[in-house]
Amino acid sequence: MTTARKNYQRPLDIRNGRIDMGHGAGGRAAAQLIEELFIAAFDSEGLRQGNDGATFEVPAGHRLVMATDGHVVSPLFFPGGDVGSLSVHGTVNDVAMCGARPLYLAASFIIEEGFPLAELKRIVESMAAASRAAGVPIVTGDTKVVERGKGDGVFISTTGIGVVPHSVDIGGANARPGDAVLLSGTIGEHGVAVLSKRESLDFETTIESDSAALHTLVAAMLAAAPGAVRVLRDPTRGGLATTLNEIARQSGVGMMLDEAAIPVLPQVDAACELLGLDPLYVANEGKLVAVCAPEHAAAVLAAMRAHPLGGRAVRIGIVTEDPHHFVQMETRFGGCRVVDWLSGEQLPRIC
Amino acid sequence: MTTARKNYQRPLDIRNGRIDMGHGAGGRAAAQLIEELFIAAFDSEGLRQGNDGATFEVPAGHRLVMATDGHVVSPLFFPGGDVGSLSVHGTVNDVAMCGARPLYLAASFIIEEGFPLAELKRIVESMAAASRAAGVPIVTGDTKVVERGKGDGVFISTTGIGVVPHSVDIGGANARPGDAVLLSGTIGEHGVAVLSKRESLDFETTIESDSAALHTLVAAMLAAAPGAVRVLRDPTRGGLATTLNEIARQSGVGMMLDEAAIPVLPQVDAACELLGLDPLYVANEGKLVAVCAPEHAAAVLAAMRAHPLGGRAVRIGIVTEDPHHFVQMETRFGGCRVVDWLSGEQLPRIC
């Protein structure tokens, strides 16, 4: 493509330009936007192929994993990230939570007419940086434009594929009574960061989203004790409480948590109190929950703590036999309460 | 999952219910919507796994193809299809245009608060039917909800993966001077069908979208003359004219078309005249363009005509040497004109 005549009337005016309906119509304006903004930033072999899809090799002897996630976070930019980096981390993590090594991403953009090209460029470049840092290239994509008032800035749906060896069997239905429940670090930062930005709240310390790609942490955990990790999940929407309830239901088990063991940053705790939120239900974008065989929990935990994204990893509870599949928690005050699913909306458009 | 206690307070009220923000919050309401509506309709092994992604085997000895497409068509329902069936056909076709056999789909829904559950069900069931008919299951998905006025009913981004044998090399850069340009049938129905519905125009005959999955047509073409087909592309947004210009630019060639050979239904011709549209620029969703080696063009054309989706397949032109990469056309009146890219927006939100 690089040798072909481009024939655009003028370069994109990134500084002052805005998305118009023509950028989504599939003609010359769309081609120019894709080349000068998206392909320039993502710079992958797949995109340079310039076809309707990307073609690539995958290593033999593996099963394939595919995960997709729409990102509609509001506001688009928040402390610690933006919709671009989030859309990479969210999908890389969904693939990694199947025990897989993420290989490639596809990205579908739905952009509102009038959206400033400068902001789009910032988002796309953040996305490109997150993809490069994770080592997971964006190989194919699509861009649509909707009229002003029919969207909200930018929505990004990313789809990831990865490979998992046949020897790895990780899934939400694999937890067994007696298993250890591990958490990779403090909870609640992402949700509080987005909400405080949305509501223009100023806390003394800026709370940053924990948004991060967790696949190398997962790889370290799986290597530490092959076969030991049975369930992996990232507690995003609905928070830790909802994620643990999902696992309990899928596996047909209960759980008993230790409230005192669940780490929450003091500033997140304070912000949650102010906002009337329970950190257990607040979204995270750079944390994971693992259920693992009890005899290997110490080894897995040690591997987590040795990884930059697992420094505060802890054992937070145990899987129990429970025909009701309740997630229960011993409170700091010695009581015991049921930790239910999130009901209704606590934090809309958090990811 | 099926044996676990569901614990929903009441079943979804499909008839009168509407999407609320809670359906996107990742808690119990979201889980219920996903189970009772999406998993019930799509009914795939991947979704039943209930994990963050789907895991599956892919046949060895192939390259993988991945394609993604956002679908923002307006209106959501149009003669011959809806956003659900379109979102399957569009992505299946993108995978097929790489010469691949589509295997699996992922679907990301962005739904506007207040959207009627009954309409969502209709869309999801249409999507499920299209997926079953194509033999390409939806194995993983995601659902987000945005506030009223921040979306437009339903947007669906679908991502497909497929496999292509190492012996097949199809891409937009492969056209060579002398190659034949083939078209699988009449052009313009999809765009006119959507536009006439959008503008509430009543023509004497209802013009139906040609929306269809083209992968079996592609398979028949590739089998008819292995190695003969060099480029495949479906002329969607921007229409036939833009698609041919894309190929000409990617391959560094020109084209000479024969206007009289390009089939347009009389009612589409009439509607285009009324609406001030040129059928060459109107979107199709069930047609393809193929560039193939001239000595095998007759065999490929015969295979197309023998397929239900290629009955009106024709040779519409020839690839030429042209340093300017112009697509030109001999008109019905014996003249010759340049067929340029679509400039700006002709038909916004056509797919």
Side-chain angles (χ1 to χ4, degrees), chain A residues 194-232:
Chain A
V194 172
L195 197 67
S196 59
K197 174 80 182 182
R198 190 188 298 167
E199 308 295 341
S200 302
L201 299 175
D202 265 331
F203 299 112
E204 267 180 50
T205 338
T206 299
I207 296 166
E208 294 218 331
S209 167
D210 59 342
S211 181
L214 296 167
H215 57 311
T216 58
L217 173 61
V218 168
M221 294 166 67
L222 300 187
V229 176
R230 304 205 225 268
V231 183
L232 285 171

Side-chain angles (χ1 to χ4, degrees), chain A residues 65-135:
Chain A
V65 167
M66 185 182 201
T68 195
D69 230 338
H71 297 87
V72 300
V73 66
S74 171
L76 295 168
F77 302 91
F78 49 82
D82 56 65
V83 67
S85 55
L86 186 68
S87 72
V88 170
H89 296 154
T91 297
V92 162
N93 291 348
D94 278 353
V95 172
M97 295 308 128
C98 299
R101 179 163 62 88
L103 293 178
Y104 298 106
L105 291 173
S108 158
F109 292 81
I110 298 175
I111 313 174
E112 187 185 7
E113 178 188 18
F115 192 70
L117 285 178
E119 286 189 34
L120 184 60
K121 185 167 198 273
R122 212 177 129 198
I123 289 166
V124 166
E125 285 180 348
S126 160
M127 198 170 170
S131 144
R132 272 195 302 273

Side-chain angles (χ1 to χ4, degrees), chain A residues 58-66 95 97-103 160-171 174 222 229-230, chain B residues 45 49 51 53-60 64 104 161:
Chain A
V58 289
H62 291 74
R63 286 168 300 154
L64 212 71
V65 167
M66 185 182 201
V95 172
M97 295 308 128
C98 299
R101 179 163 62 88
L103 293 178
I161 62 159
V163 285
V164 58
H166 285 102
S167 57
V168 172
D169 176 24
I170 287 173
N174 295 353
L222 300 187
V229 176
R230 304 205 225 268
Chain B
E45 168 55 25
Q49 291 169 1
N51 292 322
T55 305
F56 43 80
E57 302 282 340
V58 289
L64 212 71
Y104 298 106
I161 61 158

Side-chain angles (χ1 to χ4, degrees), chain B:
Chain B
M1 281 179 86
T2 45
T3 57
R5 208 172 58 108
K6 292 309 189 332
N7 221 359
Y8 302 132
Q9 289 171 329
R10 57 188 78 82
L12 276 183
D13 178 4
I14 296 286
R15 199 188 310 185
N16 304 304
R18 289 178 179 272
I19 288 289
D20 62 43
M21 295 305 292
H23 287 119
R28 185 173 277 144
Q32 183 179 15
L33 179 76
I34 288 164
E35 272 169 42
E36 296 183 10
L37 206 146
F38 291 97
I39 299 184
F42 298 150
D43 189 33
S44 70
E45 168 55 25
L47 283 170
R48 280 192 301 269
Q49 291 169 1
N51 292 322
D52 286 340
T55 305
F56 43 80
E57 302 282 340
V58 289
H62 291 76
R63 285 167 300 156
L64 212 71
V65 167
M66 185 183 204
T68 195
D69 230 339
H71 297 87
V72 300
V73 66
S74 171
L76 295 168
F77 301 92
F78 49 83
D82 56 64
V83 68
S85 55
L86 185 68
S87 73
V88 170
H89 296 155
T91 298
V92 162
N93 291 348
D94 278 353
V95 173
M97 294 308 128
C98 299
R101 179 162 62 88
L103 292 177
Y104 298 106
L105 292 172
S108 159
F109 291 80
I110 297 174
I111 314 175
E112 188 184 6
E113 178 188 18
F115 192 69
L117 286 178
E119 286 190 33
L120 184 59
K121 186 167 196 276
R122 212 177 129 199
I123 289 166
V124 166
E125 285 179 350
S126 159
M127 201 171 167
S131 142
R132 273 195 302 275
V136 186
I138 296 157
V139 294
T140 191
D142 183 59
T143 308
K144 293 290 190 308
V145 178
V146 295
E147 302 87 345
R148 215 181 278 265
K150 302 290 187 185
D152 194 17
V154 182
F155 301 142
I156 308 177
S157 291
T158 40
T159 306
I161 61 158
V163 284
V164 58
H166 285 102
S167 57
V168 172
D169 176 24
I170 287 174
N174 296 352
R176 307 176 202 169
D179 282 353
V181 181
L182 312 180
L183 172 65
S184 68
T186 53
I187 58 170
E189 290 106 283
H190 176 74
V192 169
V194 171
L195 196 67
S196 60
K197 175 80 182 179
R198 189 189 297 167
E199 307 295 341
S200 304
L201 299 176
D202 265 330
F203 299 112
E204 267 181 50
T205 338
T206 299
I207 297 166
E208 294 218 329
S209 167
D210 59 341
S211 181
L214 295 168
H215 57 313
T216 59
L217 173 62
V218 168
M221 293 165 67
L222 300 187
V229 177
R230 304 204 226 269
V231 183
L232 286 170
R233 196 151 291 178
D234 53 338
T236 56
R237 280 185 292 179
L240 180 65
T242 302
T243 295
L244 294 176
N245 271 284
E246 281 172 19
I247 297 169
R249 195 174 78 177
Q250 265 184 275
S251 292
V253 297
M255 291 187 190
M256 180 58 73
L257 310 179
D258 173 9
E259 183 175 24
I262 299 172
V264 183
L265 293 176
Q267 60 269 41
V268 170
D269 224 7
C272 281
E273 194 142 325
L274 191 77
L275 296 164
L277 298 174
D278 181 341
L280 285 174
Y281 294 91
V282 176
N284 311 277
E285 290 288 344
K287 298 295 163 11
L288 63 79
V289 171
V291 175
C292 85
E295 65 275 21
H296 296 296
V300 174
L301 209 46
M304 293 168 81
R305 288 182 179 154
H307 189 281
L309 293 173
R312 292 198 59 180
V314 281
R315 186 193 300 233
I316 59 166
I318 187 169
V319 177
T320 60
E321 253 191 84
D322 181 347
H324 300 297
H325 315 148
F326 283 145
V327 175
Q328 301 185 67
M329 187 164 76
E330 285 170 20
T331 67
R332 287 174 200 277
F333 311 107
C336 180
R337 69 173 177 97
V338 169
V339 177
D340 203 358
W341 291 71
L342 172 68
S343 291
E345 56 171 308
Q346 193 187 31
L347 288 174
R349 298 186 61 187
I350 210 72
C351 61

